[in-house]
Amino acid sequence: MARLRDVAARAQVSVSVASRVLNNDAEARINPQTRERVLAAAAELQYVPDHRARALRLSRAGAIALIVPEVNNAIFSSLHQGVQGVVHARNSSVFLAQLDGESADAHALAGVVGNGRVDGVILQRNEHLTDGDLLAATRLDVPVVLFNTRLEGHLGSVALDDRRAVAIAISHLRELGHERIGFIAGAPRHDAALRRLEGFRHAMTAADLPVHEEWIVPAGWEAPAGATATTTVLSRPDRPTALVTASLNAAIGALRAAHDAGVSVPSELSIVTIQDAWMAQYTVPTLTAVAMPMLQAGARAATMLLDHLGGEPLSDEMVSDPAPELIARESTAAPGA
C-alpha cells in the first residue's frame, strides 16, 4: 500500500506539501503545477489517505529539531543561537541532536527525530551522506529545511555565500603579495565544499593568478583531514606560499602539519580559513578567518520552517546580508615576512 511519503517522492515535493494538497488545505499556497503533480502521483500509486494518522499529525509537538554532524563543534554554536532566538520568540522549542559520523544513513534521521517528537527539522548535512542518502533522509512526515546544502529534488534550504567567502580570502592573500596559493578543500560529497572549490578557482582566475592543481587537495571538514592534506601539499618540492582551507577545523590541522614539517607560519606559509569560532583566537599563531553569518542564517532557516508550518511555501535562499567578513590575525603575512 502506498504511503504519503511515496506520493511525495514520486511528485518530487516534501511530505508536508503532498499532505496539504491531498487534504485540500485552503490556506496552503501551492503552485498549480505542483498540485497537479501531487494529484497525478497519488492517482498513479492508488494512494488512500490514512485519516487516523492525519488526525494525530494535527496535534503539534511544539518543537523543531536542529540536526548537525557534531553537537560539540564550535562552528555550530552560532547556528544554534540563531535558530533558538527565533524559535523561542515564537513560543516553540529546539531539540538539538547529531547524526554520528559514518553511521549516518537514510534511516538515521528518522530515528533521531522519532515519531511525533518534533514538527519540523533543520538539517546540516553530514559529510558522509551521499546525495541519494540525503534525499531519502528528508522523506519524513515533517518538513525539512537543509542548512547550507541544496539538493535536487528537495525544496527548502538556506545557504551561505561560500563563493564570496573564498573570494575574500584570495583577495586578502593577493593584497599581501601572495601569488602561489593552494586550497585544502572540504568533503568531496558536500555541495558547500564544491561551491567553495568553485569559488577558489574563479577567484584565482579573476585575480590573474595561476591555479596549480597539485596544490588543491580534497580533504574534509575536520582537523585530521586538514593535517593530512596539508602534509601532502608541503611534501611537494614546489609548494605554495599560502593556503586557503575550506573549514576552521581543517585549518587547525593545517597548522599542526606545518609545525611538524618545520614550516613557519606565516613567514613561510600563510593560512586563511573559511569560518570562524572562538578557538581561532587561541591557536599559535592565531588564525586569519573569513567569518560567515551563521547566526543570521540560522535565524532565517528557523523562520522559513516555522512560516511553512503556518502555511507558507518553502524556498531555496542564500544569506548574503551580512556578507562574509575577513578577520585578519597572525597566520597571514606577506611572503617571506
Side-chain angles (χ1 to χ4, degrees):
M1 179 180 295
R3 297 172 298 177
L4 180 61
R5 68 182 62 185
D6 300 322
V7 175
R10 176 69 64 89
Q12 295 187 324
V13 298
S14 69
V15 171
S16 62
V17 168
S19 175
R20 289 176 181 275
V21 171
L22 296 174
N23 288 301
N24 295 315
D25 188 342
E27 297 181 359
R29 300 177 182 177
I30 306 294
N31 182 286
Q33 290 79 13
T34 300
R35 186 181 298 276
E36 290 177 5
R37 286 207 318 274
V38 172
L39 293 175
E44 291 171 11
L45 296 173
Q46 298 182 336
Y47 171 73
V48 178
D50 184 342
H51 296 288
R52 292 172 300 174
R54 178 176 180 269
L56 288 173
R57 285 196 298 272
L58 291 177
S59 179
R60 290 281 181 87
I64 67 169
L66 172 61
I67 312 294
V68 297
E70 184 183 0
V71 294
N72 291 326
N73 191 330
I75 294 298
F76 301 128
S77 62
S78 293
L79 167 61
H80 183 216
Q81 184 180 354
V83 171
Q84 184 169 268
V86 169
V87 170
H88 283 188
R90 294 173 65 164
N91 300 313
S92 192
S93 301
V94 180
F95 168 52
L96 178 64
Q98 70 181 40
L99 288 181
D100 295 313
E102 296 183 12
S103 66
D105 59 24
H107 307 289
L109 183 59
V112 171
V113 171
N115 184 24
R117 187 179 298 169
V118 297
D119 299 316
V121 176
I122 298 171
L123 175 63
Q124 166 72 49
R125 180 177 190 164
N126 186 296
E127 65 182 89
H128 300 289
L129 284 173
T130 66
D131 283 355
D133 279 343
L134 181 60
L135 186 61
T138 63
R139 302 303 189 191
L140 301 173
D141 288 333
V142 295
V144 177
V145 171
L146 298 175
F147 184 81
N148 210 29
T149 288
R150 289 182 174 176
L151 185 64
E152 186 176 354
H154 177 86
L155 183 63
S157 68
V158 173
L160 301 168
D161 198 344
D162 296 296
R163 296 180 182 87
R164 186 174 183 182
V166 177
I168 290 170
I170 297 299
S171 177
H172 172 64
L173 291 171
R174 188 72 178 89
E175 289 173 1
L176 290 173
H178 291 277
E179 297 182 355
R180 300 162 55 81
I181 304 172
F183 187 61
I184 305 303
R189 287 177 173 174
H190 205 297
D191 60 299
L194 294 177
R195 288 195 296 274
R196 291 176 191 182
L197 178 56
E198 291 170 358
F200 175 78
R201 295 184 187 280
H202 182 270
M204 292 287 286
T205 301
D208 199 25
L209 297 176
V211 176
H212 295 266
E213 294 299 328
E214 67 273 20
W215 296 345
I216 300 175
V217 183
W221 301 119
E222 301 306 321
T228 299
T230 303
T231 297
T232 297
V233 173
L234 295 181
S235 67
R236 302 186 185 281
D238 184 34
R239 65 192 191 198
T241 62
L243 285 177
V244 177
T245 70
S247 73
L248 174 55
N249 289 333
I252 293 173
L255 274 179
R256 178 55 189 258
H259 176 271
D260 290 348
V263 175
S264 177
V265 177
S267 61
E268 295 178 275
L269 180 72
S270 283
I271 298 176
V272 56
T273 182
I274 308 303
Q275 286 287 18
D276 190 38
W278 64 266
M279 64 269 207
Q281 303 176 59
Y282 291 92
T283 56
V284 180
T286 55
L287 278 164
T288 294
V290 179
M292 305 291 272
M294 295 288 282
L295 187 147
Q296 293 86 350
R300 182 63 205 129
T303 299
M304 179 187 293
L305 181 56
L306 293 177
D307 285 351
H308 179 65
L309 292 171
E312 295 295 321
L314 291 172
S315 60
D316 292 324
E317 299 182 9
M318 176 180 290
V319 176
S320 55
D321 184 19
E325 178 186 5
L326 177 75
I327 301 178
R329 299 193 181 100
E330 298 169 345
S331 68
T332 51

